């Protein structure tokens, strides 16, 4: 690198680190708010978060940043950078463009709108009254349509939104993928519904004191290689994972004494998110590359550990004894196989977050199709309940009794997060596809799990995925790991294989 | 207020709030580091704290700040401000001057010096080797002597340092106060040493499981009016209190299973600090006035609750039953009176932080006299061990066997905190003097405690002290509350009264 370039680069890196520091502080303040910050300090805290966010935003969109980005956009300068540094520039530039292209006054108005809208949504969900929420949602959709214009529509307006959560993912590709998934999963769900085999679940009715669940969550996280020296486990109402830096990736879980499955699987889920971030190459620390590369890939790791590992039979053949030791009375006489079936029972349900591994994807496809209609076909927001209910009847065979259990169930839209839902199913598909490769390369995959030897699996994922953070795009990760593009058949194969055996199906 | 003034004021207040926001974020990051932040994130965290501290420092010492301070220093402008606002300007100006008067390069060098010195001190304390630490301490003292020149010496150079922790406190005043205290406390300590009455302490040898201690700490904090909606109690190796804002004042305590006294009294102590900050007028939030007015007044509140309330007989007459319920076996057959005596036993000891309520002040006077010699009489740092040991022999009748238990025992000097120690004894004296007034105005003080009715006491302290935060100077607080200046006789009276009865003394 010539000297001028080196100096510019140092300046750019310093500015990026500074933004990273603000984000770490903001991340900690949010974590703190959710894990026991005193109620009466919340207002002052909100002001502090507001101030630091504004400072970070100012730096991110500053003319100084613009000058650096222009400099490194020049071909002869870009050519002198290493790959990972070019990716850093591109990532920062994307955020810069996204923010700078919206007129400040409109962005501010939108921030206020979504903040009000989330409160409105809470009330509407409580009462089931879609009409009171509709004007807000209509305005959010209208604003986002306008923003897409500012950002520049890709193939279709909705493509622009998808790309924000899953870079380079397109409507064309997702249409094909989801169509295929529907073709294979709807009949599978129907076959299960028609089967008369049902797991026996009396032990699920027992009370499982919190201390035992806590001990099991800690144990299982250690088993999967979660590093407690680079994280901590706390208790919250809604489980989450937050990475402040690769040396500090915290998770939370919720313990329900009447539900022995919930905390165990949410610990595995958040633990999967955390393994990803704990194992990002420390060289990327302090840059926006030190995070998961997309919502979809991130979700693939939480789902991989929760479902592909945690809901497998070998897993419970190995670990059911440990759970039983925590709850000898409650689980007396229960077998690993029975427990495994309980953790994999399928039932069409109205609520996405309560859905099983199979029907979950149908909930997502419904949301994807509706979002696409909103942005590419100008669907009127007023019609959402009607469209929603029709799709639930068609894909899941059930109709919500009211809007609270229907179109109002998720918070996402009230905050303007259109394009986000697809990530959940992408995560499932990526996870199954990655496991397919993993099984080819590690033919003792089931044995490893059955032996409780999970660390080689973590190591394989670190080598192939985790260490790169955001320095590879999601499509690159998938292609480099599996040798092909996203392919929904792996998920369908995996689910068919699992359920034909559990429900004794003939497809 | 005229319009120009109002605009200036708004700008000034916004700048002050911004600094406040940085400090709140920094405060939370320190709290987090001490209450369980993952080890592997510490390095990145240090960088984040460094960055935010630098940003806050830049604002605090900015030309923009200088311009505001000049503007409000003009008599006709100052005259239009309310008292509390004038105090805010003065407080900010003091910090500004303190920082701006030191050349940047020297301040930076000093920061590095004290940081290295603290590490050196840790090693030296471990090995007892004063000589390895001496060059660092010598340089710190030399630098501070120079800084005092920049800041401007008050009556004596050491006055300047004292003033930084206890505004307006002087060597002249403290000399008189400590002389009087020595006159009265040394004979008292001697009389106790000569007495053949000793408390019976076999129950102190028992094991007290952590859970019971935790429950008692929570209980006692609620009793004294600590607001858990504006704070939280965590566990750390060294107890502390930290106020992020009046709605978020957190405390920690340490549980030792072989010491039933430690956690209870440290909870009362930190709880006292916290009551002060939780009850500051919310109008002061976000300004540097929303904190204790000085180290001495702050310490007076921790000591008041720990000692004047917590080590009183009525307190244990009321609460010993609650403690006994947590530990029925360990405390079987023990009376409130025996427990009270155990909590008030006097013994000359080498280590300040293990000292009892009486001899503690002698430990402080020794440090005060030595610091004064260093800054006003050019005492050579090399002579510290000799001077230290002679004073311990003279005031406490014991000589440290080595420097680890002597001159190396405290961290303060390694960080340059000369002038700080006096605050601890000031706290004791203020507390006794305040209690004297409180007893006059509330003649049922002992009954309130014996009834477990502590909230009227908290309310009285709030009205007289807490709500003002730093908007009154310590000398104003003491004069307004008690009608006179600091008077050491109240502390001596209080201690004489307590110990003549416990040890059956004739003075």
């Amino acid at each position: 690198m010539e000297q001028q370039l080196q100096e510019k680069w140092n300046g750019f890196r310093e500015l990026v680190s500074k933004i990273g520091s603000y984000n770490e502080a903001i991340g900690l303040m949010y974590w703190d708010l959710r894990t026991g910050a005193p109620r009466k300090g919340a207002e002052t805290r909100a002001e502090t978060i507001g101030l630091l966010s504004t400072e970070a935003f100012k730096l991110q969109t500053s003319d100084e940043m613009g000058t650096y980005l222009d400099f490194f956009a020049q071909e002869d300068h870009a050519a002198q950078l290493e790959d990972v540094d070019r990716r850093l520039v591109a990532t920062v530039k994307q955020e810069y463009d996204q923010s700078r292209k919206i007129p400040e006054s409109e962005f501010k108005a939108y921030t206020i709108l979504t903040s009000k809208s989330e409160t409105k949504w809470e009330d509407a969900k409580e009462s089931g009254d879609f009409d009171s929420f509709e004007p807000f949602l209509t305005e959010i959709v209208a604003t986002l349509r306008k923003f897409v214009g500012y950002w520049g529509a890709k193939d279709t307006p909705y493509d622009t939104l998808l790309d924000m959560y899953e870079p380079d993912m397109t409507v064309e590709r997702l249409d094909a993928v989801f169509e295929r998934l529907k073709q294979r999963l709807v009949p599978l769900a129907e076959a299960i519904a028609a089967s008369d085999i049902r797991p026996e679940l009396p032990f699920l009715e027992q009370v499982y004191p919190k201390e035992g669940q806590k001990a099991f969550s800690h144990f299982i996280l250690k088993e999967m290689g979660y590093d407690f020296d680079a994280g901590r486990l706390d208790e919250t109402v809604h489980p989450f994972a937050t990475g402040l830096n690769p040396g500090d990736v915290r998770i939370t879980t919720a313990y329900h004494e009447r539900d022995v499955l919930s905390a165990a699987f949410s610990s595995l889920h958040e633990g999967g998110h955390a393994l990803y971030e704990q194992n990002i190459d420390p060289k990327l620390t302090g840059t926006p590359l030190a995070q998961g590369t997309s919502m979809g890939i991130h979700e693939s790791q939480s789902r991989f550990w929760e479902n592909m590992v945690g809901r497998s039979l070998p897993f419970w053949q190995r670990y059911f004894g440990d759970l039983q030791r925590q709850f000898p009375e409650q689980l007396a006489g229960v077998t690993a196989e029975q427990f495994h079936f309980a953790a994999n029972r399928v039932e069409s349900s109205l609520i996405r977050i309560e859905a099983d591994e199979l029907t979950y994807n149908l909930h997502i496809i419904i949301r994807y199709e509706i979002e696409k209609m909103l942005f590419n076909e100008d669907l009127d927001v007023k019609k959402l309940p009607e469209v929603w209910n029709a799709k639930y009847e068609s894909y899941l065979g059930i109709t919500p009794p009211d809007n609270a259990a229907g179109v109002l169930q998720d918070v996402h839209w009230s905050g303007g997060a259109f394009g986000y839902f697809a990530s959940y199913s992408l995560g499932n598909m990526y996870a199954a596809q990655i496991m397919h490769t993993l099984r080819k390369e590690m033919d003792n995959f089931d044995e490893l799990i059955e032996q409780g030897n999970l660390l080689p699996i973590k190591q394989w994922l670190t080598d192939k995925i985790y260490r790169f953070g955001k320095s590879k795009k999601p499509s690159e990760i998938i292609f480099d790991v599996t040798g092909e593009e996203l392919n929904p058949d792996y998920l369908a194969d995996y689910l068919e294989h699992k359920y034909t055996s559990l429900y004794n199906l003939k497809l």
Side-chain angles (χ1 to χ4, degrees), chain A residues 103-147:
Chain A
E104 211 180 307
S105 64
E106 291 184 37
F107 185 77
K108 213 168 169 179
Y110 178 66
T111 309
I112 296 168
L113 171 64
T114 49
S115 149
K116 278 190 199 162
S117 166
E118 288 191 33
T119 313
K120 274 285 159 189
W121 168 77
E122 279 176 26
D123 296 344
K125 190 186 175 184
E126 191 80 19
S127 63
D129 176 18
F130 181 76
D131 291 349
S132 66
F133 175 55
E134 175 272 316
F136 290 86
L137 194 55
T138 297
E139 194 166 339
I140 287 177
V141 170
T143 309
L144 280 175
R145 283 174 185 154
K146 198 154 88 183
F147 284 6

Side-chain angles (χ1 to χ4, degrees), chain A residues 202-203 206 208 320 323-324 327-335 338:
Chain A
F203 64 89
Q206 302 280 320
Y208 295 84
F320 185 64
L323 188 64
Q324 235 172 358
F327 303 111
E329 289 172 28
Q330 295 89 330
L331 294 174
V334 180
T335 65
Q338 286 169 324

